[in-house]
Amino acid sequence: MMAGGARDAFLQWMETERRASPLTLTAYRGDLDRFLSFLAGHLGGEPDLGALAGLSLADLRAWLAHEHGAALTARRPTTQDRAARTRARRVSALRSFFRYLARHHGVDNPAPALLATPRTRRPLPRPLPGAQACDVPEGVADLAHTPMAQLRDAALFMLLYGCGLRISEALALDVRDLDQAAALGDATAGDGVMRIRGKGGKERMVPVLPQVMQGLRRWCRAHPLPQPDAPLFVGVRGGRLQAGIAQRAMRAWRHMAGLPDHATPHALRHSFATHLMEGGADLRVIQDLLGHASLSTTQRYTLTDEARLMDVWTRAHPHATDTAS
């Protein structure tokens, strides 16, 4: 098998078996395309599986150096941290590709595992203040052009903040998911429990507050085709609502409200987690609600809370601005 065919099979496996996100697939495809193109020149022809098995650590480092040099030649604006993240992603793509080759095609090459991964600084989540986060559903809905879109947008953004969902998770829901949430909830309290399919196809159960359930029910009464298998959130043509439309709607409201650029639908997920943290919620509970595979990912919200406390201390404490004599 030629390396190009193995690359395509790997990406198909990533999509179907690992349920990688479209962004990950696009990034990995671009990295592997450039890698195989480099090898064609480096080795004097299109590589096959045997050539991949024989690559040395020096060959892999030569490709990474080539990519770095190409970026400098093109004078693409970048920062040191961004360059480190790009290199880390490329190393990750290579390692994943060669692990797949070892498992499915018997290509055993230890070189990719020896590549050094640069340390990168993960940006802290940037949540919205509680009052602003609560204003989002009504604010975005007020800009919608039709009564149906107003109810839909209010329900969608209420769900994002009320449950901490990714926009992709919310838009993947069907009408039956709302019916099941109501059945799993407390009918007297009017709440619900929704089954969410997250990254990698992992499912989690997320409680839905009565206020959010009310907003979803108001929207469903205006839904143009509330059949169980229909998308919960639909566009003007009846198909599943696209993430870009929801992002554009919040961007328009953000500009009108004078909010910063980080006020996006994903910021509502950050707000959900941060406000739970500030309210004393257990870190493991927040991890489960967000669907994080690793607790270290959730722990970023503790750093956000510490940064906020330090900012308050700096502005409020009498000694914060004192200078030693």
Side-chain angles (χ1 to χ4, degrees):
M1 176 185 286
M2 302 305 292
R7 171 207 56 209
D8 294 340
F10 163 69
L11 293 171
Q12 181 66 31
W13 175 80
M14 286 283 290
E15 180 178 12
T16 57
E17 299 297 326
R18 299 295 301 274
R19 297 185 182 274
S21 72
L23 289 177
T24 297
L25 293 172
T26 299
Y28 275 25
R29 176 174 290 279
D31 290 335
L32 294 177
D33 283 350
R34 287 190 295 272
F35 174 61
L36 297 183
S37 176
F38 167 80
L39 288 183
H42 185 65
L43 302 176
E46 183 182 358
D48 58 13
L49 294 185
L52 295 180
L55 292 176
S56 67
L57 182 59
D59 293 323
L60 303 183
R61 286 174 173 167
W63 173 62
L64 293 172
H66 169 79
E67 290 295 320
H68 181 68
L72 293 178
T73 301
R75 296 183 179 180
R76 291 196 290 266
T78 186
T79 63
Q80 183 176 354
D81 190 60
R82 183 174 180 180
R85 289 199 303 270
T86 300
R87 179 186 170 96
R89 189 200 65 224
R90 287 171 178 156
V91 171
S92 176
L94 279 183
R95 287 176 176 171
S96 297
F97 182 42
F98 276 87
R99 280 197 299 268
Y100 167 82
L101 293 177
R103 186 179 304 170
H104 296 275
H105 297 284
V107 176
D108 189 11
N109 188 333
L114 300 177
L115 283 172
T117 303
R119 291 191 175 186
T120 59
R121 183 180 58 191
R122 299 191 66 179
L124 290 179
R126 292 191 289 179
L128 300 176
Q132 289 181 357
C134 290
D135 287 344
V136 170
E138 183 177 352
V140 174
D142 284 344
L143 298 181
H145 298 299
T146 66
M148 186 189 81
Q150 289 178 345
L151 290 171
R152 179 200 66 197
D153 290 354
L156 172 60
F157 285 95
M158 196 178 298
L159 179 65
L160 293 179
Y161 176 50
C163 297
L165 303 189
R166 302 177 180 92
I167 184 69
S168 59
E169 294 171 344
L171 297 183
L173 294 171
D174 294 328
V175 171
R176 66 162 59 90
D177 294 312
L178 178 59
D179 296 335
Q180 292 173 357
L184 292 172
D186 185 335
T188 303
D191 58 13
V193 180
M194 190 167 282
R195 188 185 305 274
I196 303 298
R197 182 180 292 272
K199 287 185 176 180
K202 296 179 180 178
E203 291 189 348
R204 66 185 190 274
M205 305 300 288
V206 177
V208 186
L209 298 172
Q211 183 180 359
V212 178
M213 287 294 293
Q214 292 169 12
L216 291 170
R217 288 194 179 99
R218 284 193 296 269
W219 154 239
C220 270
R221 286 194 289 269
H223 196 295
L225 189 65
Q227 301 299 322
D229 58 348
L232 180 57
F233 298 104
V234 295
V236 293
R237 297 180 181 177
R240 195 174 297 276
L241 184 66
Q242 297 178 1
I245 295 176
Q247 291 162 348
R248 188 164 61 243
M250 186 165 178
R251 186 161 57 245
W253 176 76
R254 178 181 75 208
H255 290 160
M256 289 191 63
L259 298 182
D261 289 345
H262 71 261
T264 64
H266 201 69
L268 294 176
R269 176 173 163 87
H270 293 325
S271 304
F272 167 83
T274 301
H275 299 158
L276 285 180
M277 181 81 64
E278 293 172 352
D282 182 81
L283 198 61
R284 288 286 185 183
V285 172
I286 297 175
Q287 178 190 6
D288 291 340
L289 292 175
L290 294 177
H292 286 160
S294 170
L295 185 62
S296 63
T297 304
T298 315
Q299 285 173 331
R300 291 187 302 155
Y301 294 103
T302 64
L303 299 177
T304 300
D305 197 36
E306 290 170 5
R308 184 188 64 82
L309 290 174
M310 180 59 69
D311 179 62
V312 171
W313 180 87
T314 302
R315 288 186 286 106
H317 197 283
H319 294 309
T321 57
D322 286 353
T323 56
S325 56

